[in-house]
Amino acid sequence: MLVPRSKVKVAIAQILLDEGFIQGYEVTDERPQPNIRVWLKYDEKRKPILTNLKRVSKPGRRVYKGRRELPWVLSGMGL
């Protein structure tokens, strides 16, 4: 998967790699826009490791919450 590079996206990719959700990533120096190439991770049955993702805040509807207001994910076992 290719996405345009930004410092925030590189930091998110590093967190996902550290937590074991992706297989790896690399930052390319292509012009005019550098990209991030991300390799997704699958289990032995070829099912994706990342599941049940839900986007709450959207460009037309921003949702802001404090850290204490965020719900637990998988009873505290998720990120």
Side-chain angles (χ1 to χ4, degrees):
M1 172 170 62
L2 275 174
V3 293
R5 182 186 64 87
S6 73
K7 290 180 182 179
V8 172
K9 291 176 188 174
V10 171
I12 291 171
Q14 183 61 47
I15 291 169
L16 291 173
L17 181 65
D18 293 344
E19 295 296 331
F21 289 113
I22 61 174
Q23 189 174 356
Y25 74 94
E26 74 173 347
V27 179
T28 63
D29 292 327
E30 298 173 8
R31 295 287 177 209
Q33 173 70 39
N35 290 313
I36 303 172
R37 184 179 304 265
V38 178
W39 288 276
L40 301 177
K41 192 172 186 180
Y42 297 90
D43 65 6
E44 56 277 347
K45 295 181 181 179
R46 298 294 298 158
K47 292 192 178 194
I49 297 294
L50 287 173
T51 57
N52 298 328
L53 294 178
K54 180 181 172 187
R55 184 173 182 172
V56 175
S57 188
K58 300 175 184 173
R61 180 176 181 251
R62 291 292 180 202
V63 178
Y64 299 98
K65 299 211 178 214
R67 84 178 160 95
R68 297 187 202 281
E69 298 175 285
L70 296 176
W72 275 29
V73 178
L74 298 174
S75 298
M77 298 301 290
L79 293 177

